[in-house]
Amino acid sequence: MLLSAVILVGPASAQTTQAQPTSARTVVAAAKLATVADVPIYFKAVQVTIPSGAGSSVAAGKGILYQVSGSTAVTLDADTKTLSAGEGMSVASGRMALLKAGPGEPSVFLHFFVVTAADLDQAAEAAPATVTELYRTAAPIPDLKPGAYDMNLTRLTFPARMPSNPPHHRTGAALYHVLSGAGANTVAGQTDAKGPGSFIYEPSSLVHQWGNPGDKPFTFLVFNISPEGTPAVVSAAPPKAQ
């Protein structure tokens, strides 16, 4: 008698481990700062609207522009770069930038600043631009170390149902701005939803987590400063406040 051997194979899902969703990261703009510790500094964010075809200028603070809609031609010295929606550019302190809105529709962009107390209340872009302040830190950014810093603006997207990342903190500081979707921000065991338009300030002492429990992607901007050559975030315990 011949005996047939039967091999049972389970469903494909039982044979493989499902990959966890991962975030998509785009560095929009970056610059170097010689120092951030010589005087107290603050974060500030404004929204700027320039009428179609009109010109403006800006010279305040160290910062990065992020184009929301329309387009802006930015001229620094003899170089001109045109920003379309989703693009950005750094603007260094002490250099006058000339701005011109593209044709057909107003230019709308965000401007993230690192400023001293003396510059907090200075006008940003000049008329005919309309400037709306969206956020400023209530106190100087704490625990900044001497030395050079990296400054950058990064756009991140967490896919739907992405679990919260491990607890971590900044080596410098960051300001988040939610563009779309709703993220879960966990601090000290408390989780809060952060939706479009939200600003979230992260000094170096803040241990936190981010995830996306929703059914739609969660996209946000991170305006970050961190000591040159070091990771922007670390998972070790944060430094004690000075």
Side-chain angles (χ1 to χ4, degrees):
M1 178 181 296
L2 297 178
L3 299 178
S4 298
V6 178
I7 300 176
L8 299 177
V9 180
S13 59
Q15 306 302 310
T16 60
T17 302
Q18 187 175 5
Q20 291 293 328
T22 57
S23 61
R25 178 187 302 264
T26 301
V27 178
V28 177
K32 299 288 185 180
L33 303 179
T35 179
V36 295
D38 51 345
V39 293
I41 62 170
Y42 300 74
F43 282 145
K44 180 180 176 181
V46 301
Q47 179 174 290
V48 181
T49 301
I50 303 176
S52 173
S56 181
S57 62
V58 62
K62 310 174 183 77
I64 293 178
L65 309 181
Y66 180 81
Q67 193 73 30
V68 176
S69 62
S71 64
T72 307
V74 184
T75 301
L76 278 171
D77 300 328
D79 298 324
T80 299
K81 177 181 179 180
T82 298
L83 302 179
S84 299
E87 297 179 332
M89 180 178 179
S90 63
V91 179
S93 179
R95 297 174 66 195
M96 176 69 71
L98 301 178
L99 311 171
K100 186 172 182 179
E105 63 178 312
S107 167
V108 180
F109 60 88
L110 303 175
H111 197 162
F112 296 87
F113 293 97
V114 174
V115 294
T116 65
D119 292 331
L120 262 178
D121 294 319
Q122 282 191 4
E125 281 69 14
T130 301
V131 181
T132 303
E133 183 172 314
L134 302 177
Y135 185 89
R136 67 168 67 184
T137 48
I141 301 170
D143 305 321
L144 298 178
K145 303 173 183 178
Y149 268 65
D150 293 319
M151 176 179 72
N152 53 67
L153 183 69
T154 302
R155 184 175 58 246
L156 290 97
T157 297
F158 285 8
R161 300 297 176 183
M162 181 172 174
S164 291
N165 48 26
H168 58 279
H169 73 93
R170 295 272 157 184
T171 56
L175 180 62
Y176 282 49
H177 178 56
V178 179
L179 296 176
S180 61
N185 180 222
T186 302
V187 177
Q190 175 77 31
T191 300
D192 295 314
K194 302 296 183 180
S198 298
F199 281 89
I200 304 94
Y201 168 49
E202 295 182 351
S204 63
S205 60
L206 184 72
V207 177
H208 59 281
Q209 296 171 265
W210 281 99
N212 180 15
D215 295 325
K216 297 180 179 180
F218 168 52
T219 301
F220 55 100
L221 299 173
V222 181
F223 180 54
N224 176 80
I225 58 172
S226 53
E228 185 178 34
T230 67
V233 296
V234 291
S235 57
K240 293 182 179 180
Q242 298 298 316

